[in-house]
């Protein structure tokens, strides 16, 4: 799915100019990379604010329309206001078809509902990594990479080597390493409940269960014969 958005060249620069842009509902940005020099740009704030909510907008080749032409770009940096829902600045990089790119791609964990350690063992999935650094040509860039959990058992760890990488995509930054991507563990609460149940069982086993037998009844004394007068 191609994601398109609009941009315009920005002539005025500086803190004051950027402030006026934001007041006018625009976002200042920069476009760099390739053989061209860097360009300052402006974008519509509402469009960008909603686009940034899309996972694919952060890890896809985007189509930037500017001056009547479209060009492929990657979103490289986002600056947000510390506590208000305002986009302050955006960085985009030009993409060239025959040059490999280095991108963070989100991981999608699938089949957790049928994993033995979760369905039968009551475990939970702990995500150690939620995205992966990869290198590839722009045409091979995946929107996400799947991590299959169908065979995961309690205590099982999914490593980078267990992931089937899409064609033309290679992990980056992990030379000679095989990091853990996810693990299946028993929730701490469940472990505490099991320990408490075990302690209760041990305490119950230590309590005597035999009842004291009742004392035998004392036999009645034989009646004395009556004297005859």
């Amino acid at each position: 799915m191609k994601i398109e958005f609009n941009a315009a060249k920005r002539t005025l620069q500086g803190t004051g100019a950027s402030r006026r842009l934001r007041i006018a509902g625009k976002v200042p940005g920069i476009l760099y990379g390739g053989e061209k020099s860097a360009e300052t740009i402006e974008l519509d704030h509402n469009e960008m604010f909603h686009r940034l909510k899309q996972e694919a907008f952060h890890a896809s080749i985007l189509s930037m329309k500017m001056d009547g032409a479209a060009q492929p770009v990657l979103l490289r940096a986002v600056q947000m206001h510390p506590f208000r829902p305002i986009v302050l600045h955006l960085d985009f990089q030009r993409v060239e078809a025959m040059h490999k790119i280095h991108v963070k791609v989100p991981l999608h964990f699938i089949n957790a509902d049928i994993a033995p350690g979760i369905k039968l063992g009551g475990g939970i999935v702990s995500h150690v990594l939620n995205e992966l650094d990869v290198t590839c040509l722009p045409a091979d860039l995946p929107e996400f990479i799947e991590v299959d959990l169908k065979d995961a058992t309690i205590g099982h760890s999914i490593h980078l080597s267990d992931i089937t990488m899409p064609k033309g995509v290679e992990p980056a930054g992990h030379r000679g390493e095989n990091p853990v991507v996810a693990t299946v563990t028993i929730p701490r609460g469940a472990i505490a409940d099991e320990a408490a149940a075990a302690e209760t069982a041990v305490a119950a086993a230590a309590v005597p269960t035999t009842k004291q037998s009742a004392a035998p009844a004392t036999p009645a004394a034989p009646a004395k014969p009556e004297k005859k007068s």
Side-chain angles (χ1 to χ4, degrees), residues 109-112 114-116 118 125 127 147-152 158 182:
F109 297 84
I110 62 172
N111 292 327
I114 63 173
I118 300 170
V125 180
H127 298 169
V147 180
D148 197 344
L149 301 172
K150 65 181 178 63
D151 297 322
I158 307 291

Side-chain angles (χ1 to χ4, degrees), residues 73 142 150 152 191 206-207:
V73 300
K150 65 181 178 63
I191 296 176
V207 176

Side-chain angles (χ1 to χ4, degrees), residues 60-104:
S60 298
I61 304 299
L62 311 172
S63 178
M64 175 187 286
K65 291 184 176 181
M66 187 167 62
D67 293 338
Q71 56 185 312
V73 300
L74 276 171
L75 176 64
R76 281 308 193 187
V78 179
Q79 183 182 353
M80 298 291 296
H81 192 278
F83 55 87
R84 297 174 63 188
I86 297 176
V87 186
L88 297 179
H89 196 276
L90 295 171
D91 290 6
F92 294 92
Q93 179 186 354
R94 299 184 187 95
V95 172
E96 297 179 359
M98 300 309 296
H99 287 187
K100 284 191 174 184
I101 54 177
H102 184 168
V103 190
K104 289 183 181 293

